Amino acid sequence: MKSEHKIAIGARALGLLLSSTVLAGTAGSAFAQTAGPAAPPAAPQATAPVPVVAPAGQQIRSITVNGSQRIEADTVRSYIQLRVGDIYTQVAADQALRDLFETELFADVAIRNNDGAVVIDVKENPVINRVILEGNKRIKEDKILPEIRLAPRQIFTRTKVRADVARIIELYKRQGRFAATVEPKMVQQDQNRVDVVFEINEGPRSKVRQINILGNEKFSDGELRGEMATKQSRFYRFFSSGDSYDPDKLAYDQQKLRQFYLTQGYADFRVISAVAELTPDKRDFIITYVVEEGDRYKFGDVAVESQIRDFSEEGLKAQLPMKTGDWYNAKQVEDTVEQLSETAGLFGYAFADVRPNFNRNRETLTMDITFELAESARVYVERIDINGNTLTQDKIVRREFRLNEGDAFNSFLVKRSENRINSLGYFQEKFEIEQKQGSAPDRIILEANVEEKATGELQLSAGFSSIENFILQASIRQRNFRGKGQTVGASINYSRFSQGINLSFTEPYVFDKNISFGADIFRRDLNSFNFVGNSRNTTYEQLTTGASLRLGVPLTEYVSALLRYSLTFDDVTLDRNQFFSDLDGNGTLECDPVRAGFFLCDNLGKRTTSLIGYSLIYDNRDNRVRPTRGQNITLSQDFAGLGGAVSYLRTRLNASKHWRIGRSGFIFTVAAEGGHIIAFEDRGTPAQGIDDIRLTDRFFLGQPQIRGFDIRGVGPRVIRTGFNPEIVNGVIVNTPVTERRNRVDDALGGRYYYLARAELDIPLGSGARELGLRPSVFVDAGAVFGVVRPLLQTPQNRDENGNLLYLTTDAAGAITTTTSATNAAGVPNTPSLAFTEQFFGDSPKPRVSVGFGVNWNSPFGPFRIDIARALLKEPGDDTRLFTFNVGTQF
């Protein structure tokens, strides 16, 4: 902007010249609604020429236009009704002035008549060079500029400025900022151009300071405020927008109050007035409701009259939830109407008309109700229309319908179709099937208006472990590949504990038949390790490569069966240089139990596992992606032994149930699972420390199944602890290493496991919902157990010749080693211990953790963080405080 000073725009009388001087802004100005500093006094103006009044009846000989720059003289003359040859009158001249000012092209106009020579002096309105917004932080320019009329290269008028100020203030009022002010100013430029500047003072968001309720006697102010969407401003409502004033919510709260009283039996309740007063500082509102509660009613006679011959009136009446003598409840009446409509829909009467007829008795304070089912025709599905799907093929949606064209209408099957389509996860939530009248009274059209959403998922997750440091995982998946409903995916995970890659493909309808097929190819590298100083030493490594096939068949609407086959190759190895020795002295290196541990040596080698299994699944959840009600039960069994080197039977049972609590949005979930493995081979006896179930085939438990614990952090384990020789109270002792990083911690798994989880999803205010925040609190409990106790060791250090070493002190008092079992005085020396092994965690006692987590649909993708603390644990269990993951969709 150039250095010219800004000048305030004020209202002026017609004909007042625009100049670079200050335009007057008085209390009676058109901009009096805007707040700001008073404008400086207006500069002296040149006196407009006094029009010469010609004698009545003088003929106009010529019309001359002076002062026009952009507008042609002929264009100016075309705006008025004066013409050469007409008789000039003062009335005609006044009308010409009005006509020219109404064009909003001129800042000043004067007309004079010199003996029939009419001269029109005009001063054109300036052209807008730029429109500048200053002070707007809460509402960005791309939201304000499309709402205002002024724009570059348009003609500047005060009318447009006033309208734009009002529009900007209205935008801020919609955000609850009633204290916002706008001061319009302009900067004069050359060539009769101006820059228009809107100086905006946004002000604070106007809160609801107080809600007063007058006339309530049966219920307290606090109870009634709890029913309202609008809340009083309090410091702890920083996540909620409910304490912001909104005129629409004021009307909504009146309805909420009425609904509340009607559910409590007060059928005559009414809101007499609702007034919102803005405080003088325009920062807060005080809302006052005046109510009249009236008398409380009970249900009188309740009956059902049906004109549909398929229904028994007495049978329907017996199923009504309300009884004579109960307190009147309008919500119960509304739900009954919906229930009767759904019942009629089950029998094919899609457009059944259920009317509750009320008979109010003010003397006995009872409400008689008769539910009337009007006669209607049985309805059939004429057509199923699918709209809005640009990527997804029609058949992907159509095959989820439980009704076909020509079938009798059934409201239950329509609802079931909605749930199945929602469970696909391809479309926006809250999808509903619309029902429209068909070409005849007994025909109905089902219309699925879908709105597609991103079905590709790119997910990155990270966690922190005191053992493994950072744990990273990445996966990419497309759940609606090429719009055919196929799922393809790939995942990679990396940590100091494990690395792996998995490729998968699923076709839910093979050859358009209701049979699913899937395949997976995977490779996993799992290792256990310890630290010596800052060096990482691997204790064992398990490399698994394999593939699996899946085939799913529905048995009923809610029950399905899944068959699977997998073939895997496992290779469990140890570092030969570190853990192998010539035990027999014949030059052949073998796994040394002293160095590696007996349980690791027992599991070394290569083996093939050929596994066939099945799952029986019962699932009636309303949504498999984000369920709010329903249950899921899965029984799985896998038999290994159809070829290969391993033979066992593994059984698992999983179950979950979801409830929607009230109408507030709370979702409560309870889930439980458990498993057991039976071996079909005899590998040794427990006295030998040999378990018939190999380490690689057992159950393991930890993160993410049970939050608050590390990966494989629960259950049986062997911890190998080294020693540092020290002098304590003048005596040489072997002091165990206390640093966790310098211990070997090997999870052994178990034959049995169980896991339970209870989680409550907590709804937040509308402001948090707009941010996509969904917090939850949870309790996890579980255990894994049932393993043969391994043979444990506490070996003694040896020198290079294999001689046992003992601890002693030299002349300087420093600790050294010697091969002598006694010192010079014949006192036994302390053995130099290498390490000791301890067995922990083989217990069915539950490990319990509590915590909370937050899902956030952030601008860069879904984000989840869990913070959990272990309340009950057993010695040896590894805990973890928090984890988080982040992803995106495409």
Side-chain angles (χ1 to χ4, degrees), residues 405-521:
E405 294 170 346
D407 289 351
F409 176 83
N410 186 305
S411 59
F412 173 78
L413 295 181
V414 172
K415 185 62 178 177
R416 177 60 181 166
S417 300
E418 289 179 356
N419 291 341
R420 289 181 65 92
I421 294 173
N422 275 320
S423 294
L424 293 174
Y426 305 159
F427 311 110
Q428 298 294 340
E429 296 180 9
K430 298 183 179 179
F431 159 78
E432 293 183 356
I433 297 174
E434 296 186 22
Q435 303 171 20
K436 295 186 176 181
Q437 179 67 58
S439 59
D442 63 344
R443 295 291 183 267
I444 190 173
I445 297 173
L446 301 180
E447 192 172 273
N449 296 311
V450 300
E451 182 181 351
E452 293 183 323
K453 67 178 182 181
T455 54
E457 298 175 358
L458 175 62
Q459 185 169 358
L460 300 174
S461 64
F464 183 82
S465 166
S466 60
I467 295 179
E468 304 173 70
N469 292 338
F470 282 101
I471 303 168
L472 301 175
Q473 293 180 334
S475 65
I476 184 170
R477 185 173 66 151
Q478 173 56 258
R479 293 180 288 109
N480 189 16
F481 185 60
R482 299 184 300 168
K484 294 184 176 182
Q486 300 168 339
T487 299
V488 296
S491 65
I492 299 175
N493 67 78
Y494 174 81
S495 72
R496 287 186 169 181
F497 189 87
S498 64
Q499 302 87 41
I501 183 171
N502 186 87
L503 304 176
S504 64
F505 170 81
T506 302
E507 168 58 70
Y509 280 75
V510 179
F511 304 120
D512 292 331
K513 303 296 182 181
N514 198 4
I515 299 175
S516 65
F517 170 79
D520 296 273
I521 301 175

Side-chain angles (χ1 to χ4, degrees), residues 146-168:
E147 295 290 329
I148 62 179
R149 296 173 57 190
L150 294 178
R153 296 183 296 278
Q154 289 187 358
I155 302 300
F156 170 87
T157 67
R158 291 183 295 276
T159 303
K160 292 181 180 178
V161 173
R162 288 193 295 269
D164 287 347
V165 168
R167 283 189 178 91
I168 296 173

Side-chain angles (χ1 to χ4, degrees), residues 89 191 214 258 353 464 501 507 586 598 608 810-811 823 837 876:
T89 64
Q191 299 179 357
L214 305 178
R258 177 167 174 76
D353 185 12
F464 183 82
I501 183 171
E507 168 58 70
N586 56 8
F598 181 82
T608 302
D810 57 15
N823 59 18
E837 290 182 340

Side-chain angles (χ1 to χ4, degrees), residues 622-638:
D622 60 340
N623 191 316
R624 289 190 295 269
V625 179
R626 190 176 296 167
T628 61
R629 60 178 178 270
Q631 54 194 355
N632 175 51
I633 303 173
T634 302
L635 171 65
S636 301
Q637 284 192 307
D638 296 288

Side-chain angles (χ1 to χ4, degrees), residues 672-790:
E673 61 180 280
H676 174 225
I677 300 179
I678 300 175
F680 292 141
E681 56 180 323
D682 186 2
R683 302 178 56 241
T685 64
Q688 297 173 313
I690 299 176
D691 198 316
D692 292 338
I693 301 296
R694 291 179 173 83
L695 176 71
T696 54
D697 299 323
R698 298 170 194 160
F699 294 117
F700 291 88
L701 196 61
Q703 182 73 22
Q705 301 101 322
I706 178 169
R707 290 159 287 192
F709 291 87
D710 211 336
I711 295 176
R712 298 191 173 190
V714 173
R717 60 202 328 99
V718 169
I719 297 179
R720 176 178 290 195
T721 304
F723 294 97
N724 288 325
E726 292 182 349
I727 298 178
V728 179
N729 297 326
V731 179
I732 301 176
V733 296
N734 291 280
T735 303
V737 175
T738 57
E739 292 184 6
R740 189 179 181 188
R741 286 171 54 90
N742 290 326
R743 294 185 300 170
V744 178
D745 187 341
D746 289 320
L748 304 185
R751 295 189 179 203
Y752 311 90
Y753 88 100
Y754 66 87
L755 178 65
R757 173 173 57 90
E759 187 160 5
L760 180 66
D761 288 344
I762 303 173
L764 296 179
S766 58
R769 286 197 301 269
E770 291 172 1
L771 293 175
L773 292 174
R774 292 186 296 107
S776 65
V777 294
F778 55 83
V779 177
D780 292 345
V784 58
F785 56 95
V787 66
V788 171
R789 183 183 180 90

Side-chain angles (χ1 to χ4, degrees), residues 105 165 169 180 415 456 505 601 642 650 742 747 795:
L105 297 174
V165 168
I169 290 178
K415 185 62 178 177
F505 170 81
C601 291
L642 193 66
R650 179 169 55 205
N742 290 326

